[in-house]
Amino acid sequence: MLISIAYILFSGLLLGFLCKKIKFPSLFGMILAGIIIGPHVLNCIDTSILSISTEIRKIALIIILIRAGLKLDFNDLKKVGRPALLMCFLPATFEVLGMVILAPRLLSISILDAAVLGAVIGAVSPAVIVPRMIKLIDEGYGTHKGIPQMILAGASVDDVFVIVLFTTFTSLAQGGDASIRSFINIPVSIVLGILGGVLAGYLLVIYFNRFHLRDSVKVMIILGISFVLTFFEDKWGHIIPFASLIAVMALGTMIKRQKQELAVRLSSKYDKLWVAAEIFLFVLVGASVEIGSLKTAGVSAIILVLLVLIFRMAGVFICLIGTRLEAKERLFCMLAYTPKATVQAAIGGLPLAMGLACGNIVLTVSVIAIMLTAPLGAFAIDLTYKKYLTRQ
């Protein structure tokens, strides 16, 4: 296991550095490193790590979302208002609709199979988007209009919405019924997640005020509480709808709201943790990519992924109608809301494991979506934010 960890760190660092040198997003190099050392090429990663790959990636996501919460100003988010709410579900809805319209024609699959495929592809990647929006907040680009805050919040809730759709559509594909309760659970899980995170953050601030602890200890306590919140969703989420990742971000936001100087210090600690977490996250995403699926991918699947992105961008455009954003700022939001990686890597293979007829197609298109949109979306953000956004 230890040598596998060394392979992950060294290959991720090396290829990430090389990509930076050629002005390409480092995450592309990390994903490529995962493909090369993964089970489908060199097979250098121990099976004991691969078996807990999902948990490791979730830890990295938790670190990202804590960072996001510690940097997210709730007052700035309130200023954005309606567009921030619409960004949580409207772009994903447009993308699923685009998949239902186009996939039966391009891939010769049924409308229900297209809906399952749309529910997998429709989620954006917080792993790609959140670190970049945090960078924009730190540098002050677009913050006075709440642009990075809006995208950051929307990307976190978007996944909850899409995963509920995925659960519903796969149930139908297996011969079950669509439950109205599953759709009602979407807003309930979001509200309970926010309330749970706010309560945890408030209690932590009281605890930190009462007991003098080193910031490093506080970092570990916050991580532990975040793991408990995630465990609660995994264990009892089918009984009590609870969006744990939103709760994690709300926890960080509450700490910032109650004690801003503490949030600044903790944020710098999590910035350092993210250096290693990012490598593990994207290398393991790459390791989960099925090379066989890439080989069988046709031009139609690639065209499909690109076309449904247009539907998603149209959804973002509609969300921004009536705002005071300039045309170039709207274009930035549309480009920034396209990357996909973590959700597709996590659930792309589930329809195949369920024995659904569309399983192979869903896995293939998921792999294409990761390889196309993760680097291109990250590249688009990195290339345009200084040109399209105003620095405060």
Side-chain angles (χ1 to χ4, degrees):
M1 179 184 285
L2 292 179
I3 192 64
S4 296
I5 293 173
Y7 288 145
I8 291 170
L9 290 172
F10 290 145
S11 63
L13 282 170
L14 176 61
L15 291 183
F17 172 77
L18 292 176
C19 281
K20 270 189 175 180
K21 279 293 184 182
I22 60 174
K23 306 297 182 183
F24 218 66
S26 58
L27 71 88
F28 181 77
M30 294 174 191
I31 292 174
L32 187 60
I35 293 173
I36 293 170
I37 68 173
H40 306 292
V41 182
L42 297 181
N43 196 23
C44 295
I45 303 179
D46 193 271
T47 53
S48 59
I49 292 181
L50 292 174
S51 65
I52 58 171
S53 171
T54 302
E55 286 74 17
I56 294 173
R57 281 181 278 161
K58 186 170 282 190
I59 291 171
L61 275 175
I62 287 170
I63 292 172
I64 294 173
L65 292 172
I66 293 173
R67 287 179 70 213
L70 291 170
K71 293 177 184 286
L72 185 61
D73 193 322
F74 187 72
N75 291 325
D76 288 340
L77 194 58
K78 284 197 296 185
K79 290 177 186 176
V80 181
R82 176 188 56 84
L85 179 63
L86 293 177
M87 290 280 276
C88 296
F89 66 91
L90 199 59
T93 301
F94 268 63
E95 190 165 3
V96 173
L97 180 62
M99 191 67 76
V100 169
I101 293 171
L102 297 174
R105 292 167 173 78
L106 290 173
L107 301 181
S108 301
I109 60 177
S110 69
I111 291 177
L112 181 55
D113 287 345
V116 173
L117 178 57
V120 174
I121 304 301
V124 293
S125 175
V128 179
I129 292 176
V130 171
R132 280 164 173 75
M133 294 305 108
I134 291 174
K135 180 182 178 183
L136 265 61
I137 293 172
D138 288 341
E139 296 182 11
Y141 281 95
T143 52
H144 62 295
K145 292 186 179 179
I147 293 172
Q149 296 94 323
M150 173 182 65
I151 295 172
L152 192 154
S156 304
V157 180
D158 173 279
D159 290 357
V160 177
F161 174 68
V162 170
I163 289 172
V164 171
L165 291 182
F166 173 76
T167 304
T168 302
F169 292 147
T170 50
S171 174
L172 286 172
Q174 290 179 307
D177 297 321
S179 171
I180 296 176
R181 180 185 174 187
S182 63
F183 289 99
I184 295 174
N185 283 349
I186 296 174
V188 173
S189 65
I190 293 169
V191 170
L192 290 180
I194 292 172
L195 292 176
V198 166
L199 177 61
Y202 180 74
L203 293 176
L204 280 175
V205 169
I206 293 175
Y207 179 74
F208 293 154
N209 285 334
R210 184 167 298 180
F211 299 98
H212 178 71
L213 301 170
R214 295 177 59 185
D215 287 344
S216 300
V217 176
K218 294 173 183 175
V219 164
M220 290 186 284
I221 291 173
I222 293 170
L223 269 179
I225 296 295
S226 300
F227 295 160
V228 170
L229 292 171
T230 307
F231 171 78
F232 181 86
E233 181 185 17
D234 293 339
K235 187 75 173 178
W236 293 290
H238 61 288
I239 301 173
I240 304 172
F242 183 78
S244 60
L245 295 182
I246 295 173
V248 169
M249 191 165 70
L251 185 158
T253 304
M254 191 61 183
I255 292 175
K256 179 180 173 66
R257 186 176 179 84
Q258 294 292 314
K259 203 166 184 179
Q260 188 160 353
E261 69 279 4
L262 174 62
V264 172
R265 297 200 310 270
L266 293 177
S267 180
S268 67
K269 298 283 186 183
Y270 280 105
D271 288 346
K272 294 170 185 175
L273 275 180
W274 172 241
V275 174
E278 180 184 30
I279 296 171
F280 275 96
L281 175 60
F282 289 114
V283 171
L284 290 175
V285 166
S288 70
V289 168
E290 292 275 357
I291 296 299
S293 298
L294 281 176
K295 290 178 181 177
T296 59
V299 176
S300 297
I302 296 172
I303 292 172
L304 177 64
V305 170
L306 295 175
L307 288 178
V308 295
L309 283 182
I310 296 174
F311 277 80
R312 167 170 279 276
M313 293 170 74
V316 174
F317 180 81
I318 290 174
C319 292
L320 301 177
I321 290 175
T323 64
R324 57 194 179 96
L325 300 187
E326 299 175 9
K328 61 182 181 179
E329 292 170 332
R330 296 176 190 228
L331 178 58
F332 173 81
C333 293
M334 292 160 68
L335 293 172
Y337 222 50
T338 57
K340 304 170 186 302
T342 39
V343 174
Q344 289 72 29
I347 66 175
L350 291 184
L352 183 62
M354 293 174 181
L356 300 181
C358 62
N360 276 317
I361 291 175
V362 171
L363 181 59
T364 300
V365 179
S366 297
V367 171
I368 293 170
I370 293 170
M371 297 307 295
L372 276 179
T373 65
L376 289 179
F379 185 69
I381 295 171
D382 295 344
L383 186 67
T384 61
Y385 78 93
K386 289 184 179 179
K387 297 178 182 177
Y388 292 173
L389 302 181
T390 304
R391 190 173 191 178
Q392 188 174 18

